[in-house]
Amino acid sequence: MNITIYDVAREAGVSMATVSRVVNGNPNVKPTTRKRVHEAIERLGYRPNAVARGLASKRTTTVGVIIPDISSIFFSELARGIEDIATMYKYNIILCNSDQNKEKEIHLINTLLEKQVDGIVFMGGEITKEHEETFKSSPVPIVLSATIDANKEFPSVNIDYEQASYDAVTAMINAGHEKIAMLSGTLADPINGYQKFAGYKRALLDAGKEVNDDYVTLGDYTHDAGVNAMKELIALEDRPTAVFASTDEMALGLIHGAQDAGYRVPEDFDIIGFDNTRLATMVRPTLTSVVQPMYDIGAVSMRLLTKFMDNETVDEQVVLLPHRVEYRQSTSFQGE
Amino acid sequence: MNITIYDVAREAGVSMATVSRVVNGNPNVKPTTRKRVHEAIERLGYRPNAVARGLASKRTTTVGVIIPDISSIFFSELARGIEDIATMYKYNIILCNSDQNKEKEIHLINTLLEKQVDGIVFMGGEITKEHEETFKSSPVPIVLSATIDANKEFPSVNIDYEQASYDAVTAMINAGHEKIAMLSGTLADPINGYQKFAGYKRALLDAGKEVNDDYVTLGDYTHDAGVNAMKELIALEDRPTAVFASTDEMALGLIHGAQDAGYRVPEDFDIIGFDNTRLATMVRPTLTSVVQPMYDIGAVSMRLLTKFMDNETVDEQVVLLPHRVEYRQSTSFQGE
DNA sequence: GTGAAAGCGCTAACAG
DNA sequence: CTGTTAGCGCTTTCAC
């Protein structure tokens, strides 16, 4: 049997209410009794039971985090941002991998709700109608992180992916490139596919160019996908001179695919990646990349969630963080 | 107010005990009543409260995971292994970053214990006396993952780091290298420092060579540490011809440091890394690395923990998983 | 096969 | 400033 608040009360010669007050830092306790209670706690080695507390207070100081894959270099950085801010606000995190599987995602939300989390940070891919219904039926706040629903009904934290892609591709155009390819994720992915591709397209159209289907390849975000995409691009009679990838890992693949075939970056191909993960400086040539502040997105998401949980007023629940292009050696040009 | 088990009982015309039995899959319920209860649950949209359940049953089906840094490519892979097996056994995970800070680690264990986790997976660096005391005072089982205490008193899952280093360095020796350097973590780190260095040393001594202090450099596991270490090594009058790094990221740094100075790998330097993270194939030349099955270490750790939590008998509580060297392009030799 | 009732350990009014 | 008293929602004997 464990030591309970009742044991401490008896040991200190006070009521359990007083012990509870002391433990919770309630100021309405005479310093002498506070001291007596603290001593009793010390003597008995009392450790408050958070589960009982959660049941009585209806707050668990625990939040749920649904993440596609914690082993991804991208998401793990986000998770770190979330966790740091959670710790700062005294919350713990229940972490769940979803593999972006819809059924799993919805199931996980329900599990987290059963565990009475005080809020949820959701990272995922496509937000379907079913997701939206689940979100709406949640008794606790949910914040989307590096994820956004089509109608922007739910709180979310992102950068403007479309604009960021537009900026990167426009920089390529300004540097004189006529034949710009893109290695994108599937268009069903609202961010890494749809939005980033949309920015690529708009940049080309704004510059009076048209989208050449041969120059648009799809990948699954792995290094190998980049290597293979570059092979295909090189095989084209009319090769592109610049390639924009929707993730850094694929961009590294592009660089290595080019090098493996005897080409050089940036002399033969200018390459720009996306996310500015730590990988960008761990390759030669170092990778020019669109900076997405992953840690910050996680941190801001969590901060936003705390506001909802504490019923603070939030002025803007759809937040867009700034982005920019970090120029390194994989592009022969270094700015607009 | 939420729907409780009591509401369901009333709706179904049974007692709460019966509802509880149905929810928990207890077979002692007549199929017809079971059906009636299920319908009531459906109709009311009842969602069991895991906190109340935890308080009453003294099991939370939640385990704590203490990890140095979830954004590390190495630990995030481990975490994924842990989470997958946890999910398989219906546990959820509370994830906490410790930054390998002793006070934080001990504080986190206590927090997790307050939250009444059913067990803990601990990843960290040095296991001090204070750690050991905390572990011993825990009412729930604790498994060390990719971490080990000096006396092997506690359950743990690892590979034999010393032997693995020995194997890698011996392969270099067998390939004819006379001057082999090592980029190690601080020796206070029992694994990435102490054990790996010990293997390096033993390999040299066994081959009748002595350890040249100039050839032993320390790094903080970052890519930059590798780049800098290589600079120093190159500056030596009597340059080494092979370098063994205790982590892949540092090994990439070594490669790039050499390339940045106009040298070539493996022509000028044979390089071997450690961990065989995904980075190993994301560099040119691709990196020869000691394979440490990170995902498996996580998975096995969690599986071991479930055994303790379920009071299964475990035959060997200090498990060592197999290791090997994966040869790639950063070494001019391809095996023993 | 089912129900009644006693907690699990704590918080939160409400008194005083 | 401190104590009393209900619960929080569920599991778990123990009867029947």
Side-chain angles (χ1 to χ4, degrees):
Chain A
M1 178 66 29
N2 240 304
I3 291 109
T4 73
I5 199 171
Y6 183 75
D7 300 319
V8 177
R10 196 156 25 103
E11 175 81 10
V14 298
S15 73
M16 26 186 303
T18 300
V19 178
S20 175
R21 288 191 188 96
V22 170
V23 170
N24 292 292
N26 184 319
N28 294 114
V29 181
K30 210 198 297 176
T32 41
T33 39
R34 176 186 306 280
K35 182 148 173 290
R36 209 138 36 86
V37 171
H38 271 135
E39 284 165 1
I41 288 176
E42 192 69 24
R43 217 173 311 136
L44 267 34
Y46 167 67
R47 176 182 289 144
N49 181 325
V51 172
R53 182 184 291 190
L55 183 58
S57 69
K58 304 189 161 307
R59 295 192 69 234
T60 55
T61 61
T62 302
V63 305
V65 174
I66 295 179
I67 200 167
D69 178 11
I70 190 62
S71 69
S72 139
I73 198 166
F74 174 78
F75 287 114
S76 63
E77 188 77 29
L78 261 164
R80 182 69 211 241
I82 293 171
E83 219 266 333
D84 280 359
I85 303 303
T87 300
M88 189 172 300
Y89 285 87
K90 313 273 186 217
Y91 285 95
N92 285 110
I93 269 179
I94 297 185
L95 200 278
C96 310
N97 291 102
S98 68
D99 293 314
Q100 300 220 12
N101 175 110
K102 187 177 83 178
E103 278 67 41
K104 223 164 169 180
E105 287 171 341
I106 298 199
H107 172 77
L108 285 172
I109 292 180
N110 284 313
T111 303
L112 291 172
L113 260 18
E114 285 187 7
K115 296 232 168 171
Q116 312 300 119
V117 294
D118 295 334
I120 293 176
V121 177
F122 183 90
M123 288 164 271
E126 200 185 350
I127 304 290
T128 66
K129 283 277 160 263
E130 218 171 317
H131 282 94
E132 295 185 1
E133 277 168 35
T134 309
F135 293 164
K136 277 181 191 148
S137 76
S138 166
V140 298
I142 297 184
V143 169
L144 308 184
S145 188
T147 309
I148 194 159
D149 55 305
N151 304 321
K152 307 190 178 176
E153 280 184 71
F154 302 98
S156 63
V157 180
N158 290 280
I159 63 166
D160 186 337
Y161 299 96
E162 198 269 349
Q163 184 65 45
S165 294
Y166 179 93
D167 293 349
V169 175
T170 297
M172 286 173 157
I173 293 170
N174 291 344
H177 284 287
E178 290 291 333
K179 295 178 283 181
I180 302 173
M182 170 160 192
L183 172 51
S184 167
T186 162
L187 299 191
D189 183 328
I191 289 177
N192 285 318
Y194 187 76
Q195 287 202 52
K196 293 183 183 174
F197 177 71
Y200 163 78
K201 192 167 157 187
R202 181 163 66 91
L204 292 185
L205 297 181
D206 273 11
K209 306 187 190 313
E210 47 195 37
V211 177
N212 178 341
D213 284 347
D214 284 348
Y215 290 168
V216 178
T217 53
L218 298 184
D220 61 1
Y221 313 126
T222 62
H223 181 265
D224 276 359
V227 172
N228 293 331
M230 189 47 110
K231 268 191 209 146
E232 287 178 34
L233 259 16
I234 287 175
L236 256 33
E237 344 64 282
D238 193 22
R239 273 201 281 279
T241 56
V243 191
F244 172 55
S246 66
T247 70
D248 279 354
E249 184 164 340
M250 292 203 292
L252 292 210
L254 290 172
I255 291 177
H256 293 142
Q259 292 173 343
D260 290 351
Y263 291 88
R264 291 187 311 164
V265 175
E267 290 80 354
D268 299 312
F269 298 99
D270 274 336
I271 307 275
I272 300 186
F274 205 115
D275 290 344
N276 196 40
T277 55
R278 280 168 39 230
L279 295 176
T281 55
M282 288 162 57
V283 61
R284 293 297 183 272
T286 54
L287 180 68
T288 293
S289 185
V290 178
V291 178
Q292 166 167 213
M294 293 154 312
Y295 181 92
D296 294 351
I297 291 178
V300 171
S301 302
M302 186 63 212
R303 176 64 185 107
L304 184 56
L305 185 60
T306 64
K307 287 187 185 169
F308 284 115
M309 293 189 296
D310 297 347
N311 291 309
E312 295 179 34
T313 55
V314 339
D315 10 82
E316 188 48 87
Q317 68 162 218
V318 175
V319 358
L320 286 183
L321 262 25
H323 65 264
R324 65 190 170 78
V325 179
E326 177 76 30
Y327 289 93
R328 297 201 184 83
Q329 304 162 348
S330 71
T331 45
S332 47
F333 53 95
Q334 302 291 318
E336 356 285 300
Chain B
M1 182 62 30
N2 242 305
I3 290 107
T4 74
I5 199 173
Y6 183 75
D7 300 320
V8 176
R10 196 157 25 104
E11 176 82 11
V14 298
S15 73
M16 24 187 302
T18 301
V19 178
S20 176
R21 289 193 187 94
V22 171
V23 170
N24 292 294
N26 184 318
N28 293 114
V29 181
K30 210 196 300 178
T32 42
T33 40
R34 178 185 304 280
K35 181 146 176 291
R36 209 138 38 84
V37 171
H38 272 136
E39 284 166 0
I41 287 176
E42 191 69 25
R43 216 173 312 135
L44 265 36
Y46 168 67
R47 174 184 289 144
N49 181 326
V51 171
R53 182 183 292 189
L55 183 59
S57 69
K58 303 186 164 307
R59 296 192 69 235
T60 54
T61 61
T62 302
V63 305
V65 174
I66 295 180
I67 199 167
D69 179 10
I70 190 61
S71 68
S72 140
I73 199 166
F74 173 77
F75 287 114
S76 62
E77 189 79 28
L78 262 164
R80 183 66 211 245
I82 294 171
E83 220 266 332
D84 281 359
I85 304 303
T87 300
M88 189 174 299
Y89 285 87
K90 312 275 188 217
Y91 285 95
N92 286 110
I93 268 180
I94 297 186
L95 200 277
C96 309
N97 292 103
S98 69
D99 293 315
Q100 298 220 11
N101 175 111
K102 187 177 83 176
E103 278 67 43
K104 224 165 169 179
E105 287 172 340
I106 300 206
H107 172 78
L108 286 172
I109 292 181
N110 284 313
T111 303
L112 290 172
L113 259 18
E114 285 187 7
K115 296 229 168 172
Q116 310 299 120
V117 293
D118 295 334
I120 294 178
V121 177
F122 183 90
M123 289 165 270
E126 201 186 350
I127 305 291
T128 66
K129 283 277 159 263
E130 219 171 317
H131 283 96
E132 294 184 3
E133 278 168 36
T134 309
F135 293 165
K136 276 180 192 150
S137 76
S138 167
V140 299
I142 296 185
V143 170
L144 309 184
S145 188
T147 309
I148 195 158
D149 57 307
N151 303 322
K152 306 191 178 175
E153 281 184 72
F154 302 99
S156 63
V157 180
N158 292 279
I159 63 168
D160 186 339
Y161 299 97
E162 198 269 350
Q163 183 63 47
S165 293
Y166 180 93
D167 293 349
V169 175
T170 298
M172 285 173 157
I173 294 170
N174 292 344
H177 285 286
E178 290 291 333
K179 294 176 283 183
I180 302 174
M182 169 158 192
L183 172 52
S184 167
T186 162
L187 298 191
D189 184 327
I191 289 178
N192 285 317
Y194 186 76
Q195 289 203 50
K196 293 183 183 175
F197 176 70
Y200 162 78
K201 194 167 156 187
R202 181 164 65 93
L204 292 185
L205 297 180
D206 273 11
K209 308 189 188 310
E210 47 194 37
V211 176
N212 178 342
D213 284 348
D214 284 349
Y215 290 168
V216 179
T217 53
L218 299 182
D220 60 1
Y221 312 126
T222 61
H223 181 267
D224 275 359
V227 172
N228 294 331
M230 190 46 112
K231 266 191 211 149
E232 288 177 33
L233 258 17
I234 287 175
L236 256 33
E237 344 63 284
D238 193 22
R239 272 200 281 278
T241 57
V243 191
F244 172 53
S246 66
T247 70
D248 279 354
E249 184 165 339
M250 292 202 292
L252 292 211
L254 291 174
I255 292 179
H256 292 142
Q259 291 173 343
D260 291 352
Y263 291 89
R264 290 185 312 163
V265 175
E267 290 80 354
D268 300 312
F269 299 99
D270 273 336
I271 308 275
I272 299 186
F274 205 115
D275 291 345
N276 196 39
T277 54
R278 281 172 33 235
L279 294 176
T281 56
M282 288 162 58
V283 60
R284 292 299 182 271
T286 54
L287 179 69
T288 292
S289 185
V290 177
V291 178
Q292 165 167 213
M294 295 154 312
Y295 181 92
D296 294 351
I297 291 179
V300 171
S301 302
M302 186 63 212
R303 176 67 186 102
L304 184 56
L305 186 60
T306 63
K307 286 186 185 166
F308 285 113
M309 294 189 295
D310 297 347
N311 291 311
E312 295 177 34
T313 56
V314 339
D315 10 83
E316 188 46 87
Q317 68 163 217
V318 174
V319 358
L320 286 182
L321 263 25
H323 66 264
R324 63 189 171 78
V325 179
E326 176 76 29
Y327 289 93
R328 297 202 183 81
Q329 304 162 350
S330 70
T331 44
S332 47
F333 54 95
Q334 303 292 313
E336 356 287 298

